[in-house]
Amino acid sequence: MSEEGTIAAGNKLVLSTKALCKSYGDVVALDQVSLEVGSGEMVVLCGPSGSGKSTLLFMIAGLLSPDGGAVELSGQDLSHLSSSGRTGLRSREIGMVFQDARLLPYLEIEANILAGGGTAERANELIEELGLGDRRSHVPKKLSAGEQQRVGLARALVTNPKLLLADEPSGNLDQGSTELVLAGLKKFVAEGGAALVATHDPEVIKMADWVFTLEKGILQG
Ligand code: ADP
């Protein structure tokens, strides 16, 4: 991917943002942000708190509308879809991971993973891959922060999305969980997924094909 609009040869364009702009009153959260992510690519977004990372991720997920510019997912302009069309596209094509896993408190692991769709078979594959096999009958409050984050990653991957959007997926985790989350991200991308990850974790940055920094809503190459 590049700001100029090329992705590595052989990779298919999954996500493209074109001159996205968003302001909240006088605060410019995003200023002409254009980027692309292809299949089998990981793009990392760095930037201090308040630089616009969450605004960008939420806009790509179709949860926030831009003031100007466009988001295209698999060639479809989100602004051309109805709200239910955007919801459908998001649930089919996007997986999202947040820094706090945002699990449903009364559901055991497998039910949490399947809350947004997917098959039990795929959920169980991810439970094993992410080292959660001996925790499957636990509710979130019985899990460590690292285990909760691994459940959050499994929930994002269970529908086999084309695009993974992640906001600090490996922040403040124990070493074992960090390694499992990184391995999960790496496998997703190696199998052809497209990932856009907001993070400052040097281990994730090392895995990235491209690293960009947002500064006051402006994307720096
Ligand atoms: P980051 O994720 O990098 O911390 P954000 O995208 O959350 O940055 O925020 C970018 C800027 O937009 C910040 O100045 C923030 O205060 C502002 N902002 C974000 N959401 C809102 C909102 N709903 N209302 C007003 N200002 C907002």
Side-chain angles (χ1 to χ4, degrees):
M1 104 117 231
S2 81
E3 265 188 284
E4 291 75 40
T6 52
I7 56 172
N11 289 352
K12 219 171 134 202
L13 186 61
V14 174
L15 167 72
S16 158
T17 77
K18 296 181 175 161
L20 283 179
C21 295
K22 181 79 180 176
S23 295
Y24 298 102
D26 293 343
V27 176
V28 178
L30 295 178
D31 187 0
Q32 306 276 338
V33 172
S34 299
L35 59 75
E36 294 181 342
V37 189
S39 58
E41 282 187 354
M42 179 182 292
V43 174
V44 159
L45 205 54
C46 299
S49 177
S51 60
K53 303 179 299 296
S54 310
T55 301
L56 180 59
L57 293 178
F58 278 96
M59 206 169 270
I60 291 167
L63 294 163
L64 252 184
S65 297
D67 297 337
V71 176
E72 286 183 10
L73 190 58
S74 302
Q76 286 206 68
D77 185 331
L78 296 191
S79 71
H80 295 169
L81 298 173
S82 63
S83 158
S84 65
R86 276 196 296 275
T87 304
L89 188 67
R90 180 168 60 246
S91 61
R92 283 191 310 277
E93 304 217 342
I94 298 183
M96 294 187 80
V97 186
F98 306 94
Q99 187 169 8
D100 52 333
R102 302 185 190 184
L103 303 177
L104 296 164
Y106 301 109
L107 296 183
E108 293 178 359
I109 282 187
E110 185 179 335
N112 252 296
I113 293 172
L114 289 168
T119 64
E121 189 186 359
R122 177 73 177 127
N124 278 299
E125 201 174 279
L126 287 161
I127 284 171
E128 293 306 328
E129 274 173 30
L130 293 168
L132 294 163
D134 58 350
R135 294 284 185 276
R136 63 178 67 236
S137 61
H138 288 44
V139 291
K141 70 176 178 196
K142 300 278 183 193
L143 302 174
S144 70
E147 287 164 344
Q148 291 189 29
Q149 186 60 303
R150 284 183 262 152
V151 177
L153 180 60
R155 179 188 52 196
L157 297 179
V158 74
T159 53
N160 299 318
K162 285 190 183 158
L163 175 67
L164 183 71
L165 300 175
D167 198 353
E168 290 288 1
S170 54
N172 301 321
L173 304 184
D174 57 279
Q175 186 61 28
S177 287
T178 300
E179 280 168 16
L180 286 159
V181 165
L182 295 186
L185 289 176
K186 203 171 197 163
K187 184 165 188 281
F188 171 73
V189 173
E191 290 175 349
L196 179 61
V197 185
T199 188
H200 294 102
D201 183 339
E203 294 300 316
V204 182
I205 292 172
K206 255 196 256 168
M207 287 162 46
D209 296 287
W210 303 91
V211 180
F212 292 88
T213 302
L214 265 174
E215 297 261 4
K216 295 186 179 164
I218 297 173
L219 196 68
Q220 324 271 348

